[in-house]
């Protein structure tokens, strides 16, 4: 058989004999119209006429559900510092809003990090995508030094974004970043966590992170 999609953005099936044809990658809340014809498997491959047209409307795109939001105005909130080279900044200048932000510096591995303390269940609700949003600002970071974000999939930490000084960001400028994680690529566990780290080379090199929002749909 051959499904012919008459709506722009849809996809034809091509000739096939699989019991099911699924058209994917379609827009939400959009009507798609199809017709179908068949042919036999004789030498002549005799074809039928096209069927009548049939239409279906795709489902509405799920809305984002905010799982966590932290602006550090009331302290660490849902996060905790990873060690001696991470602190809660409260002086205002380097916070994107308010007066507080998380501050990481130096190059001491997990010590120069902070992470979400309690895991979030992103498995049971059946989410298909996660979104991590935040603001950050670097100060005195040398060219080539990195700032990155990791995701805990229930068994190990995986780096999901890496930003390089001089390439992806410059000092003394606020940046807004969004990271999207698809369930088909990343395991969505019952105890998801995220972690922010940097490899600054000294105590005067800093990355300030503010307004972290984690959402799912």
């Amino acid at each position: 058989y051959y499904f012919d999609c008459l709506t722009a953005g849809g996809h034809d099936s091509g000739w096939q004999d699989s019991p099911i044809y699924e058209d994917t990658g379609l827009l939400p809340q959009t009507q798609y119209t199809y017709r179908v014809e068949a042919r036999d498997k004789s030498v002549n491959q005799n074809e039928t006429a096209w069927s009548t047209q049939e239409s279906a409307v795709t489902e509405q795109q799920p809305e984002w559900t905010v799982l966590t939001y932290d602006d550090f105005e009331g302290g660490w909130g849902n996060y905790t510092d990873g060690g001696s080279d991470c602190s809660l900044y409260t002086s205002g200048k380097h916070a994107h809003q308010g007066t507080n932000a998380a501050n990481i510096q130096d190059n001491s591995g997990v010590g120069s990090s902070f992470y979400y303390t309690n895991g979030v269940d992103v498995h049971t609700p059946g989410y298909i995508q996660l979104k991590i949003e935040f603001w950050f600002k670097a100060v005195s970071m040398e060219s080539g030094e990195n700032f990155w974000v990791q995701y805990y999939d229930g068994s190990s930490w995986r780096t999901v974004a890496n930003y390089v000084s001089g390439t992806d960001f410059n000092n003394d400028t606020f940046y807004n970043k969004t990271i999207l994680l698809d369930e088909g690529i990343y395991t969505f566990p019952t105890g998801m966590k995220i972690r922010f780290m940097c490899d600054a080379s000294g105590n005067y090199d800093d990355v300030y992170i503010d307004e972290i929002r984690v959402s799912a749909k």
Side-chain angles (χ1 to χ4, degrees):
Y1 65 85
Y2 189 113
F3 271 100
D4 179 33
C5 183
L6 304 175
T7 306
H11 310 93
D12 299 340
S13 67
W15 287 107
Q16 61 175 291
D17 55 10
S18 172
I20 298 175
Y21 170 62
E22 295 183 356
D23 197 354
T24 60
L26 305 178
L27 295 174
Q29 285 191 298
T30 302
Q31 178 174 291
Y32 290 88
T33 301
Y34 299 84
R35 61 180 182 173
V36 65
E37 66 174 335
R39 70 184 183 192
D40 62 31
K41 294 188 177 182
S42 68
V43 174
N44 293 328
Q45 294 186 325
N46 302 296
E47 298 179 6
T48 67
W50 287 107
S51 69
T52 57
Q53 299 177 10
E54 296 290 342
S55 299
V57 178
T58 51
E59 295 181 352
Q60 181 177 357
Q61 181 118 1
E63 297 292 333
W64 289 103
T65 299
V66 177
L67 303 179
T68 68
Y69 174 75
D70 291 270
D71 61 6
F72 305 103
E73 293 306 297
W76 276 107
N78 292 303
Y79 291 84
T80 188
D81 65 281
S84 58
D85 292 309
C86 182
S87 62
L88 183 65
Y89 171 80
T90 59
S91 298
K93 180 180 178 180
H94 302 307
H96 181 255
Q97 58 81 50
T99 59
N100 294 8
N103 172 221
I104 50 180
Q105 59 182 203
D106 212 348
N107 183 11
S108 54
V110 176
S112 57
S113 72
F114 70 99
Y115 61 94
Y116 189 86
T117 310
N118 300 312
V120 179
D121 183 0
V122 293
H123 172 74
T124 305
Y127 295 126
I128 60 172
Q129 193 173 48
L130 296 178
K131 178 168 64 173
I132 303 170
E133 302 170 277
F134 60 95
W135 288 87
F136 82 93
K137 175 184 180 181
V139 176
S140 300
M141 290 278 283
E142 297 176 14
S143 179
E145 292 182 335
N146 295 4
F147 160 59
W148 63 95
V149 183
Q150 293 187 325
Y151 166 82
Y152 183 71
D153 64 7
S155 60
S156 61
W157 289 97
R158 301 174 63 179
T159 299
V160 294
N162 183 51
Y163 308 105
V164 181
S165 177
T167 301
D168 301 308
F169 65 89
N170 295 312
N171 289 312
D172 302 312
T173 301
F174 279 109
Y175 294 88
N176 182 216
K177 295 296 182 179
T178 298
I179 304 167
L180 296 176
L181 305 179
D182 293 318
E183 189 270 338
I185 300 175
Y186 295 92
T187 300
F188 283 7
T190 57
M192 180 276 296
K193 302 177 182 179
I194 58 174
R195 179 163 67 187
F196 296 80
M197 307 181 72
C198 80
D199 66 353
S201 59
N203 288 331
Y204 295 101
D205 302 346
D206 301 82
V207 178
Y208 299 88
I209 303 97
D210 202 1
E211 295 187 89
I212 305 171
R213 177 182 286 103
V214 179
S215 307
K217 66 178 180 180

